[in-house]
Amino acid sequence: MSYLTTVERNVAADLLTQGYIKAAKSFSLMAKQEITIKPTSIEISKDDLKVIKSIKGDDELILITTSIIGELGGKSYLIFNEQESRAVHEACMPHTEDEYARTMESEAILKELDNILSAAVITEFSNYLDTMIFGDVPILSRSNQAAVKNKIINDFNGDGSDSGYFMIANTEFEFQNNTHLKPQFIWKLAEDFMDKIKLVS
């Protein structure tokens, strides 16, 4: 197990930020209004307890998970609460009284948003590290806080590899219509992923 230097941490955080900037442009086209996406804080940690404490405190959370596939392993977790999900729907879609249709539309938008975000960030890592990695199809689930914590901590721990690093990014979305959201983006990157950053940096 090797820890990252300040320079290496800054490289990882900058790649994440650059991915957000590109994702904002794509999401703006989808939502038909200008949107900015920026991390308000980025923390890189190997401390499971710190990750658990950082996760949103709402009773029910919407979790969109994307696996990184290819030469390096990892997963991204995009976390919304119900209020944020409704706000995304209202910003992107005309209002409908049909609750089921609204839920289906919201979930489709959130998965597409995750797809845009994770793909943009993964592309930044792929280009910088000169490594073939891709994002798999996003999976959306609604869970209580305890289940979300358990999943993030225990995902791919049983494959014999080190659990790796967490990148905890508290994020702000600002829509042209003055909607402000603060979803959470957590990346879990296998040890060899961060070793590659150390090597290239």
Side-chain angles (χ1 to χ4, degrees):
M1 180 176 70
S2 55
Y3 289 91
L4 299 181
T5 65
T6 300
V7 170
E8 292 154 358
R9 288 173 181 269
N10 289 342
V11 165
D14 187 58
L15 292 171
L16 193 68
T17 302
Q18 291 304 313
Y20 281 1
I21 292 170
K22 293 179 180 176
K25 294 177 182 177
S26 298
F27 191 42
S28 296
L29 292 174
M30 181 178 124
K32 297 182 175 62
Q33 61 177 297
E34 185 176 350
I35 300 168
T36 58
I37 302 173
K38 60 184 179 182
T40 54
S41 66
I42 298 175
E43 186 170 5
I44 300 175
S45 177
K46 294 181 72 70
D47 185 347
D48 288 359
L49 185 58
K50 184 176 288 187
V51 177
I52 287 173
K53 288 182 177 179
S54 74
I55 293 172
K56 285 177 175 289
D58 303 79
D59 290 335
E60 183 181 74
L61 296 171
I62 299 168
L63 175 69
I64 305 105
T65 306
T66 299
S67 295
I68 300 173
I69 54 178
E71 295 178 26
L72 300 171
K75 287 194 177 184
S76 73
Y77 309 90
L78 183 58
I79 305 171
F80 290 86
N81 60 29
E82 188 60 42
Q83 182 181 359
E84 290 162 342
S85 173
R86 286 197 302 270
V88 171
H89 182 272
E90 290 170 4
C92 298
M93 298 291 291
H95 178 71
T96 174
E97 296 295 337
D98 187 329
E99 185 176 349
Y100 177 77
R102 210 163 51 238
T103 299
M104 292 299 100
E105 288 173 350
S106 294
E107 292 186 356
I109 292 169
L110 292 181
K111 284 197 284 188
E112 182 58 28
L113 173 55
D114 175 83
N115 201 39
I116 290 169
L117 278 166
S118 59
V121 173
I122 290 169
T123 298
E124 289 296 312
F125 277 107
S126 178
N127 291 340
Y128 180 78
L129 301 175
D130 192 23
T131 301
M132 295 292 287
I133 50 175
F134 310 92
D136 205 351
V137 177
I139 298 171
L140 184 145
S141 61
R142 293 174 180 268
S143 305
N144 60 41
Q145 188 196 52
V148 169
K149 290 178 177 180
N150 186 64
K151 177 174 178 56
I152 292 174
I153 295 301
N154 292 308
D155 255 0
F156 72 77
N157 273 9
D159 62 1
S161 66
D162 189 281
S163 62
Y165 287 83
F166 292 95
M167 294 181 66
I168 308 162
N170 292 310
T171 310
E172 184 173 52
F173 289 33
E174 185 174 337
F175 292 70
Q176 191 174 347
N177 68 358
N178 291 322
T179 299
H180 292 264
L181 305 176
K182 293 186 177 180
Q184 193 170 43
F185 217 4
I186 296 175
W187 292 77
K188 189 173 186 180
L189 304 174
E191 187 80 19
D192 59 352
F193 202 117
M194 300 311 251
D195 284 346
K196 183 77 170 179
I197 291 177
K198 290 179 72 68
L199 180 65
V200 174
S201 299

